[in-house]
Each structure stands twice: as C-alpha cells, then as structure tokens.
C-alpha cells in the first residue's frame, strides 16, 4: 500500500534495510570538520588555528581530504570529508583571515557527527511483522526506501444490534418502551479508531431464526462479529443458541466474573473444514456501559489479533494489561465491590494539589506514594447510562480478591482515550 496511507496499519512481513542509514558520515551541526586531535587544548584565549581547505556543499560528496592542521566548512547534514572525525560548531569559530579559522573549543572524536549506518545498518530488521505502524515507523520506512509496505487488510467487524425495543438513532420519535441504538454507533467509532472496518446491520428482532439468519449472513465476510444484547438467560436471549448452531465449536464461554459485563459470551463459528479456527463471535451485553467496557477489556485485543498485530500476553503477573495506557491517581471516594469478581469503575481525573515528583523521579507503582498527582473521582451510575462513559476519563480495576477500595488509595487508571 502507499506509504502515505500506512500509519495505523499492521505490517504483514518484516522490513529489512537494504542500505545503511545514513549512507555516509555526516555533520549534525553547521561548523568545521576537523581532526579532533588538532583541537585538543583549544580555548578562548588560546584558539587552535587551522587551514580551511574546502567547503562541503549540501547533497554532494565532500570531494576533499583533511590532513593534520586542516579543516573544512560543513553545513548541518553535509557529508564529512575523508580524514575528519569531528565537527566544531560555527559558534566556536573565528575567521582571522582568508583560508584560516580559529577554533575556541576542543571536540572529541565523533562529536557532532553521525557515522554511516549509525542509525540503521544494512541487513538489519528495522520493523517486525505484526507491528502496527506509528507515524515514526512510517519515517523509518521512508529512510530505508520502502514506499509500498505490505500490510494486512483491515479486519471487517460485523456489528449486529438486537432487540424489539431498539430503534435507529435517526428515528423521529421514540414511543414508550423504545430506545435509540447508541451501542452500535459507539462501537463502530471504537472499531474504526482501533483499525477495523465496522459494518453495522439493521436491528434484528428478538427471534432466534432472525438472529441466526443475521449471524449466518455476515460470517463469510467478517473476521469478527459482535452481537449486541441477547446474551443473558432470559426467554428472549438467543445469542448463545445461535452461536452454537453456527459452529462448530460454538460457544467457548458464557458469563464472566466481571462487573459490568457479566453476561458476555464468546464463541467460534464456521470452523468446520476451513482450517482457520472459524470466525470469532462475541455476545455483548445490551447496556451501553457494559458493552463498551467489555469491548475495551476483551474485544479490542481480539480485533488486534485478527488484524495480524503481534499482541503481548493478556495480563502480566501484577494483573496489568500491557496494551493499556494508564496513569497513577489517588481515589477520592470509597468504591465498594463484591469479592469473587473483577470490577471496573468509571472515574473522572482532575489535578491534585500535591506537589509533583522531583524532575527525573518518574511515576511510581501503585502504593508507592510517588507520581500520583491526579485525583480519580468515581462516576457512579447504572450500566444502561451512556453518559457515565461520556463523563469518564478512565476505568479503575478492582481485583476479584478485594472488597472495594478506600479513599486515598493510589490506583492505576486505564485511560479511555
């Protein structure tokens, strides 16, 4: 694909440098290329006097060589003359006469110089397969002359809203008992941001045959399917039965020790004879907060996997997700929780009055008392209220073994954006 469109895409094959970067020794400053030994002992009162034997032009080889007692004028990015091993900045030079320069500061070998191949060595793997390309990575590709990187296609994600009570967002009126579809719209935005191509279907009524037809219809053209609502155990909840009928292997888990998001289910459909494990299908709760939290905790990782991204282990030993961006904060209010389940609480962030840590100290781990210069205010509400997430800056995880968190607890906040 064109290099200009590659940011955010996932590399399908590694990129190996076919040349050194830079391809020549170059100066990082405007000044004078020198043999460093000729400047030793130079000072304002006792400058080193050198003969200027040439001037380097940008975009061209130096074309001359230095010997002892000689210097060459060189611009930033210009090639280094043969024999030179350092550059004195122009600010530390005086021109006493034509063809001469006085240098008032010594330099060490290699100072103000980038050697050929110092950035990238020919034959080295500069970017691995499975890497999602950041803007800086696109610059690396340009540096090694790769203008059409091979990337995976964006995963197609089918979003199927269900429920007799759900109406499209553009419905002119909502009769009593009806609600506008907010979850699929919000999920589509998240999917697009995370590198997928969302395809939102029409709302499917609460009938098993209708849901089965909808799921079967999107499986051949999707890498991931999200069914919204219908994942609980009520009489109108058909998602689990439909995933089983569209398998094998069908449902792999149904229910999580998680709040919000307990009814979540997951399965694989259409694996028979395909050899690729089938299409991943999530059944998400219909409540907005539950659905969007589960997306953040589970679906986003699945999306990155089917996109070809090299995703690290889901959790480290401390329980942290390596994909998440977090900040340290101090909890302002007590947050209750039931043991045996993992709770996620929406919080708003605001500055605290505590002094920031000393320069270079960095943020410490939870409980260290270092770096928590933000306050986390819990946003309480029910999982059906979309404004809870709209008001929140992040989520605080309460481990399954804890019975809540006390005010003043230092926590790691998972940033929502």
């Amino acid at each position: 694909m064109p290099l200009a469109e590659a940011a955010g895409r996932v590399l399908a094959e590694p990129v190996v440098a076919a040349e050194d970067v830079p391809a020549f020794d170059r100066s990082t400053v405007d000044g004078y290329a020198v043999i460093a030994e000729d400047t030793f002992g130079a000072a304002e009162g006792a400058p080193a006097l050198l003969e200027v034997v040439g001037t380097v032009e940008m975009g061209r080889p130096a074309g001359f060589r230095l010997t002892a007692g000689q210097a060459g004028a060189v611009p930033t990015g210009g090639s280094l003359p043969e024999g030179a091993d350092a550059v004195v900045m122009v600010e530390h030079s005086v021109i006493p006469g034509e063809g001469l320069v006085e240098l008032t500061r010594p330099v060490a070998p290699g100072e103000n110089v980038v050697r050929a191949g110092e950035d990238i060595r020919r034959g080295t793997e500069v970017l691995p397969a499975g890497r999602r390309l950041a803007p800086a990575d696109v610059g690396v590709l340009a540096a090694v002359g790769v203008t059409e990187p091979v990337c995976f296609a964006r995963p197609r994600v089918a979003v199927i809203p269900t429920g007799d009570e759900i109406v499209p967002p553009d419905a002119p009126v909502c009769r009593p008992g009806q609600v506008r579809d907010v979850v699929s719209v919000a999920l589509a935005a998240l999917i697009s941001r995370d590198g997928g191509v969302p395809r939102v279907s029409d709302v499917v009524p609460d009938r098993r045959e209708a849901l089965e037809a909808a799921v079967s219809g999107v499986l051949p053209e999707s890498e991931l399917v999200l069914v919204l609502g219908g994942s609980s155990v009520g009489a109108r909840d058909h998602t689990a039965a439909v995933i089983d009928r569209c398998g094998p292997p069908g449902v792999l888990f149904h229910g999580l020790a998680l709040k919000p998001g307990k009814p979540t289910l997951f399965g694989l459909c259409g694996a028979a004879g395909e050899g690729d494990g089938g299409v991943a299908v999530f059944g998400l709760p219909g409540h907005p907060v539950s659905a969007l939290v589960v997306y953040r905790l589970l679906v986003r990782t699945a999306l990155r996997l089917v996109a070809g991204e090299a995703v690290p282990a889901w959790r480290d030993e401390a329980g942290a997700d390596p994909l998440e961006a977090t900040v340290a904060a101090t909890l302002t209010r007590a947050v209750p929780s039931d043991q045996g389940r993992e709770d996620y609480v929406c919080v708003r962030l605001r500055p605290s009055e505590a002094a920031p840590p000393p320069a270079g100290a960095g943020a410490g781990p939870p409980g260290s008392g270092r770096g928590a210069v933000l306050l986390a205010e819990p946003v309480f509400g029910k999982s059906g209220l979309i404004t809870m997430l709209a008001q929140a800056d992040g989520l605080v995880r309460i481990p399954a073994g804890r019975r809540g968190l006390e005010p003043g607890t230092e926590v790691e906040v998972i940033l929502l954006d």
Side-chain angles (χ1 to χ4, degrees):
M1 64 185 310
L3 187 59
E5 301 173 14
R9 301 298 288 266
V10 179
L11 278 178
E13 57 185 33
V15 175
V16 177
E19 57 192 44
D20 287 340
V21 178
F24 56 91
D25 296 344
R26 60 189 298 189
S27 172
T28 61
V29 298
D30 291 335
Y32 289 89
V34 298
I35 299 170
E37 188 176 356
D38 288 339
T39 70
F40 292 171
E44 291 282 349
L49 180 64
L50 301 179
E51 178 189 5
V52 179
V53 296
T55 299
V56 176
E57 296 183 24
M58 285 297 294
R60 295 178 177 275
F64 59 92
R65 178 182 180 86
L66 298 186
T67 58
Q70 294 180 334
V74 60
T76 301
S79 62
L80 214 62
E82 289 186 43
D85 62 2
V87 176
V88 178
M89 295 175 65
V90 70
E91 293 88 339
H92 305 299
S93 66
V94 176
I95 306 299
E98 186 175 354
L100 297 174
V101 64
E102 290 181 345
L103 304 177
T104 60
R105 181 187 180 280
V107 287
E111 190 169 343
N112 300 323
V113 168
V114 175
R115 291 295 185 183
E118 186 173 327
D119 195 358
I120 300 171
R121 285 286 184 186
R122 178 183 178 182
T124 60
E125 181 181 298
V126 292
L127 294 172
R131 182 182 180 93
R132 186 175 295 276
L133 294 171
D137 296 331
V138 176
V140 170
L141 293 175
V144 296
V146 175
T147 58
E148 292 186 336
V150 180
C151 299
F152 288 110
R154 295 184 188 273
R156 300 163 296 179
V157 183
V159 180
I160 305 175
T162 72
D164 294 333
E165 77 282 11
I166 304 297
V167 298
D170 59 357
V173 293
C174 282
R175 296 191 302 272
Q178 293 184 325
V179 293
R180 288 190 174 94
D181 179 13
V182 300
V183 179
S184 62
V185 175
L187 282 174
L190 289 169
I191 291 164
S192 295
R193 185 193 67 179
D194 292 335
V197 179
R199 297 180 176 181
V200 180
S201 70
D202 293 335
V203 179
V204 177
D206 287 319
R207 298 195 305 275
R208 190 176 74 176
E209 61 273 17
L211 181 58
E212 186 173 342
V215 172
S216 299
V218 300
L219 285 176
E221 57 187 28
S222 304
E223 281 72 54
L224 191 62
V225 177
L226 309 182
V227 180
L228 312 182
S231 62
S232 294
V233 292
R236 299 188 304 145
D237 297 320
H238 306 298
T239 304
V242 166
I243 293 177
D244 275 337
R245 288 177 62 87
C246 292
V251 175
L252 298 179
F253 68 76
H254 188 182
L256 296 172
L258 175 70
K259 181 183 178 182
K262 178 181 178 181
T264 300
L265 62 88
F266 173 75
L268 295 173
C269 294
E274 295 184 5
D276 63 356
V279 178
V281 182
F282 280 92
L284 301 183
H287 289 309
V289 175
S290 299
L292 298 182
V293 168
V294 172
Y295 174 88
R296 185 59 182 260
L297 299 178
L298 293 178
V299 179
R300 187 174 67 154
T301 301
L303 175 58
R304 289 180 167 185
L305 285 168
V306 298
E309 188 172 355
V311 177
W314 170 237
R315 288 275 171 86
D316 62 19
E317 293 181 358
D321 176 3
L323 291 177
E324 299 289 5
T326 63
V327 295
T330 301
L331 201 62
T332 62
R333 296 178 58 184
V335 179
S337 176
D338 292 334
Q339 283 186 313
R341 73 182 183 196
E342 195 170 90
D343 278 11
Y344 286 83
V345 179
C346 295
V347 296
R348 280 188 297 264
L349 293 172
R350 62 180 175 85
S352 75
E353 297 179 358
S368 69
R370 295 175 54 207
V373 296
L374 293 172
L375 297 178
E377 296 180 341
V379 180
F380 294 113
K382 299 180 179 179
S383 59
L385 306 179
I386 185 62
T387 51
M388 279 185 62
L389 279 178
Q391 296 170 3
D393 297 307
L395 302 170
V396 170
R397 170 178 172 262
I398 304 177
R402 297 287 297 271
R403 300 193 65 175
L405 298 175
E406 296 296 325
T409 302
E410 191 173 328
V411 294
E412 289 291 323
V413 179
I414 301 170
L415 298 177
L416 288 175
D417 194 0

